[in-house]
Amino acid sequence: MRILRTPEERFANLPGFPYEPRYADVADGLRMAYVETGPADGEPVVLLHGEPSWSFLYRHVMPELAAAGLRAIAPDLVGFGRSDKPAEIAGHTYARHVEWTRALLLDALGLSGITMVGQDWGGLIGLRIAAEHPGSVARIVAANTGLPTGDIPMPEVWHRFREAVLKAPVLDIARLVQAGCKSELPEEVRAAYDAPFPDESHKAGPRAMPGLVPIAPDDPAAPANRAAWQILTTLDRPFLVAFSDGDPITGGMAPILLKSISGTSGLAHPVIKGAGHFLQEDAGAELGRQIAAFVTST
C-alpha cells in the first residue's frame, strides 16, 4: 500500500488550534496523528471526526472538556488530517478503519474507561469499537451519526453527496465542510480544512469514505454492523444522543437510537439548536458543555 504524508508546514498558523500533534504507529508503516488537552489523569474522552474533516473540527469542543477536568483526545482518521494517507481508494475499507482506530486507542494509547464521541464516520467507527470492545468503554455519545446496516435506505441527499464526491474532478474539501454548516466559515478556517490535502493525490480517503457506507443488506460491512447493533441495544453503558436540529443527512437516526439503545434510558438528550451536520463548527462550545455534563454526571 503506497502511503503519503502531508508536509508539516501545511499546518502552520491554524486558527484556534494550538495543540501539538502526537503520533503512533497503528500498522506496518502507517502512522496516525492525534492531539489532546486536559489533565493527563482525567477521564479520557475520544473525539472521532468524519468525512471529510479532521481533528481541527473539535477545536471548540476540546477546551470545554479540559475545563471540566477531562482528557480530550482527538485523533485524525487514516487518510485525514496529519495522519498517513493511503494513496489509492482501494486501500480504504470499513474494517481497516475500525482496526486502525482501535489500534491507536487501545494498543498505542492503552486507554480504558473511554467516553467515545462520534460524529459522521466517527460514529460508524466509534460505535463499532464500543460494541466490539465494551470493556474499554464507559460511555458513548452519538452526535449526527449512525450505524447503517444497508437494511434502511439512506436519504436522497446522501446519495447526491456520494455521487458528487466520487465524480468530482477536483474535490473541494472546504466547500464540502461549508455545505454541512449553518454558519459561514472564515477563510482561514476553510484553509485549515484544505490543509491536509496539498493535491488530489492525497484525497483518496475523502473520496473513498462515502462508498464504504453500507447501503445494501449484502454489503461486506453489514454483518459486523448488525452484530454491533445487537450488542449496543443491551449494553449497560450510558449512551447520549446529541444531535443538531438541522442535519438532513443523519437527523433521522436520532429517534432510532433513542428507541433502540437501552443505555439512552433516563438521560436528558440535548438537541443542539441552529446547527447543521457539522455541529462542532456551528455550536462546538455547546456540544462540549453537553458532553462534559454527561461525563461528570454518569
Side-chain angles (χ1 to χ4, degrees):
M1 188 163 53
R2 187 165 64 95
I3 303 298
L4 303 175
R5 185 168 291 174
T6 302
E8 185 57 36
E9 57 265 25
R10 293 276 301 179
F11 300 99
N13 303 316
L14 295 168
F17 198 66
Y19 311 109
E20 286 295 317
R22 306 180 185 193
Y23 300 95
D25 291 332
V26 295
D28 291 340
L30 192 70
R31 188 177 77 167
M32 281 184 76
Y34 65 99
V35 295
E36 65 172 82
T37 188
D41 61 350
E43 288 197 60
V45 180
V46 171
L47 305 165
L48 295 178
H49 70 85
E51 157 83 351
S53 61
W54 60 294
S55 57
F56 177 77
L57 180 69
Y58 283 102
R59 68 194 182 282
H60 300 307
V61 176
M62 295 174 69
E64 301 293 335
L65 302 179
L70 304 173
R71 179 187 177 192
I73 304 165
D76 294 335
L77 298 181
V78 170
F80 299 82
R82 292 182 170 100
S83 289
D84 285 351
K85 298 171 177 65
E88 309 299 332
I89 289 177
H92 296 265
T93 70
Y94 195 154
R96 281 178 174 174
H97 276 280
V98 171
E99 172 55 22
W100 288 329
T101 309
R102 183 211 64 79
L104 173 69
L105 301 179
L106 304 189
D107 295 346
L109 298 183
L111 299 178
S112 61
I114 297 168
T115 296
M116 189 76 77
V117 180
Q119 184 262 340
D120 191 271
W121 258 101
L124 274 72
I125 294 169
L127 291 173
R128 279 277 299 275
I129 295 172
E132 294 167 8
H133 304 276
S136 298
V137 176
R139 303 170 198 81
I140 301 168
V141 180
N144 288 359
T145 191
L147 191 62
T149 61
D151 300 307
I152 299 174
M154 297 290 285
E156 181 58 33
V157 64
W158 183 86
H159 286 282
R160 293 198 300 269
F161 166 75
R162 181 176 182 268
E163 287 300 305
V165 169
L166 290 174
K167 294 180 178 179
V170 176
L171 194 60
D172 190 336
I173 301 295
R175 182 172 177 268
L176 291 175
V177 177
Q178 177 65 81
C181 299
K182 296 289 187 181
S183 54
E184 187 69 26
L185 301 182
E187 282 303 314
E188 62 269 24
V189 170
R190 293 172 68 103
Y193 283 113
D194 284 330
F197 310 106
D199 55 46
E200 293 303 302
S201 70
H202 286 68
K203 298 178 184 177
R207 287 193 183 275
M209 297 306 261
L212 302 182
V213 176
I215 60 173
D218 61 350
D219 185 279
N225 279 15
R226 290 192 194 100
W229 266 108
Q230 290 195 339
I231 295 168
L232 291 170
T233 53
T234 59
L235 188 65
D236 61 343
R237 302 291 189 278
F239 191 115
L240 188 72
V241 178
F243 277 48
S244 70
D245 63 351
D247 183 10
I249 299 174
T250 66
M253 280 303 305
I256 295 173
L257 292 169
L258 289 168
K259 179 181 178 181
S260 305
I261 307 293
S262 62
T264 63
S265 180
L267 299 174
H269 300 276
V271 176
I272 310 297
K273 303 290 187 180
H277 181 63
F278 295 110
L279 71 172
Q280 303 97 321
E281 276 294 340
D282 293 325
E286 173 62 17
L287 177 62
R289 287 190 289 270
Q290 292 289 350
I291 295 170
F294 169 59
V295 174
T296 56
S297 66
T298 53

